[in-house]
Amino acid sequence: MDLESERLERSQLETLSTAELIRHALDESRMLVRAELLHAKKELREELKAARTAGILIGVGAVLSLIALACLFVGAGLALPLGEPWDVLVMGVAVLAVAGLLLFLGVKRLPKKPLPHTQERLKMDYQLTRETLQ
């Protein structure tokens, strides 16, 4: 069906004047640019949502790391002169493990390559335009 509609369009385009052809090409270019902008906005929203989640995880992980470090220092301080500081040390190690996990998950969720779909579409458009103009 696409080939038939393309042939119809070509036959219609052959009857148009040069000015009408240029106007048609400009209209098509505007539509393409609008479509690309809509796709880029959608992709950017998705990446910002992922970055927000990653930022929250990294922030919570960093805060818990500081708390865990404080617990470990308190535990180490209590371990030197007295006898029962193991509760604080175990708690510090547990909080540090949770903090490490959250930091790992947050860093893993950070976007590695911004707007990959938009970049691929633009590369394809560029290649198709080069091939068409040659």
Side-chain angles (χ1 to χ4, degrees):
M1 190 77 177
D2 290 332
L3 292 175
E4 291 178 29
S5 64
E6 185 177 323
R7 286 186 193 135
L8 283 176
E9 188 174 320
R10 282 186 182 180
S11 65
Q12 290 172 348
L13 291 176
E14 289 173 355
T15 62
L16 297 176
S17 68
T18 303
E20 290 171 330
L21 284 172
I22 291 173
R23 192 172 314 123
H24 180 71
L26 289 174
D27 289 340
E28 291 289 324
S29 298
R30 285 185 195 118
M31 282 188 356
L32 178 63
V33 167
R34 285 185 191 130
E36 288 297 332
L37 284 174
L38 288 174
H39 287 296
K41 284 180 183 178
K42 180 183 174 193
E43 195 172 3
L44 187 60
R45 268 189 239 113
E46 291 170 359
E47 285 193 18
L48 286 175
K49 185 178 177 182
R52 184 188 74 202
T53 302
I56 290 170
L57 290 173
I58 290 172
V60 171
V63 169
L64 287 178
S65 294
L66 291 174
I67 292 170
L69 198 57
C71 288
L72 289 173
F73 283 134
V74 168
L78 291 175
L80 293 175
L82 302 173
E84 301 261 349
W86 296 110
D87 295 338
V88 178
L89 281 174
V90 169
M91 185 64 184
V93 169
V95 172
L96 189 60
V98 170
L101 177 66
L102 289 174
L103 286 170
F104 173 75
L105 291 174
V107 170
K108 190 174 178 182
R109 286 190 180 196
L110 284 174
K112 305 295 184 241
K113 182 179 177 186
L115 304 172
H117 300 294
T118 300
Q119 287 182 10
E120 285 299 316
R121 279 194 307 275
L122 289 175
K123 285 179 186 175
M124 286 178 47
D125 290 344
Y126 175 73
Q127 289 174 349
L128 287 173
T129 304
R130 280 186 61 190
E131 291 171 4
T132 304
L133 294 176
Q134 288 180 351

